[in-house]
Amino acid sequence: MISISLSAYAVSVRDKGNLDRRVELGSFNRRNDLLDVLEGYLNALKSTPQTDSSQSRHSTVQRLERSGRYLKGIFEAGEFGFKSEFRNIKNNQRSYVRDTVDAEMLPFYFLVYLPDNEAKGVVILQRFKQFGIHDEFITRFQSFFRQQFSNYAFRSTTLTNSEILKRYIDDARIVQVKFIQNKWPSDLADEVNRLTPVEKQGYIETIIHAGYKSSLPLKEKLTRLVNGKLNSNKLLEVEFPHDTVKVVLDINGRKRTIDAGSPFSFRSNFDISDDVKMVRGQPEYNSIDGLAQELLETLTEDLYKGKVRR
Amino acid sequence: MIDKINCFAVLKDHLETLKNNDTGRTSVGDLVVFYVIPIIASVILVRIFTPGESLSNVLVTALSIFAALLFNVLLLVLEQIRRTQGSTASNKERIKLLLEQTYSNIAYSILVCLLALVVLIVPYLYDLKAKPLPQAIVWGIIYFLLINFLLTLLMILKRMHVSISKEIAAHA
């Protein structure tokens, strides 16, 4: 299964001359709005794609929308610099020969929320398998910002959700624990016998469900797991082999999946592989947008101690 | 000259099915079960058991019937393979592969059956009672082929059971 996740960052502007001063995002340097600066930067990237020869990366913005204090869209980034062949896997015919100047552009969804009278904003960036756009989106914007406003610095920190998760675990119902085995049975007959239309190709899931409107009794263990005081294989000790454990929480009707096998990753990455609708191997825009908006709401509840203002 | 009776492809296709489904590599466990254990068992049987003429008769009859039945089963499996074309199962390709492998296993078991029948003719043509070593070799081969045949039949039974169960479930 393709891994799709969202990484969340808290962003702010710091006054280099007075690091303790609270700088509002809507009016830093008295008249500049960070959202306008970022929108201008992304629009420029949309018209003129950027090529980083040192990293062999090419990037552009494919789609950009602004609504209130939000920016969202699709950022494209890809590697170039090497030749390769693209083959049709059905007939093994060569469909395209990639040259060194060709870049395979992958689309990445982004969502930015920069409230005008707050000192912190949120940037949510999509990750596709192990690929992300943190460098292209945030690090390059930092350089751009530094050149434009030499007295100010654009800062970003990973928004950890372990604190948020701990709070949610108390309110959530643990509705499923999934044990995923990435190994197939050694006998093809066993594989065919086990697969049902519900299970997916590529791995085998064994799922333990909670009863109707009830929760699996794992909250204390899950909290210890989030704190790094419990190994995922101790969450629910089972006989059958498995490579990954995923826990599905129901938080007021919304489902969140935690990869218990990678506790560090769920502190900063929100795995939406199971929730997002995929079209031709990529997340469907409205689907990932909806999930990102939900994530933004939950993150900003904690950041701003209230609801997101639209 | 021997192209028309060259059944090496039958052996090769069967051996291809003795692979670990997860890694794709030849399964040492399968080779042990289907070849090493029959060799060991046939050596033991040759040492402890003296076969009589009645055993040869029974084996010839049984193997002849099996060979004929298995030819029919081949056609059934072929029909199953054709039906997978119209299947809507999400793992249709894997079911088809399973049936193709079962087809290879059945063809191989027919080959083993025929080889065993040929070797069983030897005691009828030559009196081996006074020749312990040739008798041991001939019966060692027969036992080996028989055990290999039975084990292959078990594998075929399992695979047919899975395929047909899936077919029943799909039409339920």
Side-chain angles (χ1 to χ4, degrees), chain A residues 182-199 201, chain B residues 19-22 30 89-92 94-95 97-98 101 158-159 162 165-166:
Chain A
N182 296 324
K183 223 171 107 128
W184 287 113
S186 60
D187 185 1
L188 175 60
D190 290 333
E191 176 203 318
V192 169
N193 200 22
R194 284 180 72 169
L195 275 183
T196 69
V198 176
E199 291 169 0
Q201 290 283 1
Chain B
K19 283 185 174 173
N20 186 308
N21 179 53
D22 179 47
D30 286 352
S90 61
N91 59 339
K92 169 172 108 164
R94 303 303 283 174
I95 294 174
L97 178 63
L98 179 67
Q101 286 194 0
K158 178 184 174 181
R159 289 174 161 209
V162 166
S165 299
K166 286 288 169 189

Side-chain angles (χ1 to χ4, degrees), chain A residues 122-189:
Chain A
V122 178
V123 171
I124 293 174
L125 304 176
Q126 179 206 327
R127 290 185 65 82
F128 176 78
K129 297 187 192 176
Q130 73 271 32
F131 304 112
I133 50 167
H134 178 273
D135 279 352
E136 283 91 345
F137 196 99
I138 290 180
T139 310
R140 284 223 204 109
F141 179 70
Q142 276 176 331
S143 301
F144 167 82
F145 189 87
R146 198 182 311 126
Q147 287 166 12
Q148 300 294 313
F149 307 99
S150 53
N151 294 332
Y152 291 86
F154 175 79
R155 291 280 157 84
S156 82
T157 53
T158 306
L159 254 179
T160 58
N161 67 337
S162 56
E163 288 302 319
I164 298 164
L165 263 177
K166 274 184 247 168
R167 193 157 61 84
Y168 284 151
I169 287 165
D170 285 335
D171 297 336
R173 287 192 305 123
I174 300 172
V175 293
Q176 283 180 358
V177 177
K178 295 183 187 179
F179 297 88
I180 297 164
Q181 185 186 1
N182 296 324
K183 223 171 107 128
W184 287 113
S186 60
D187 185 1
L188 175 60

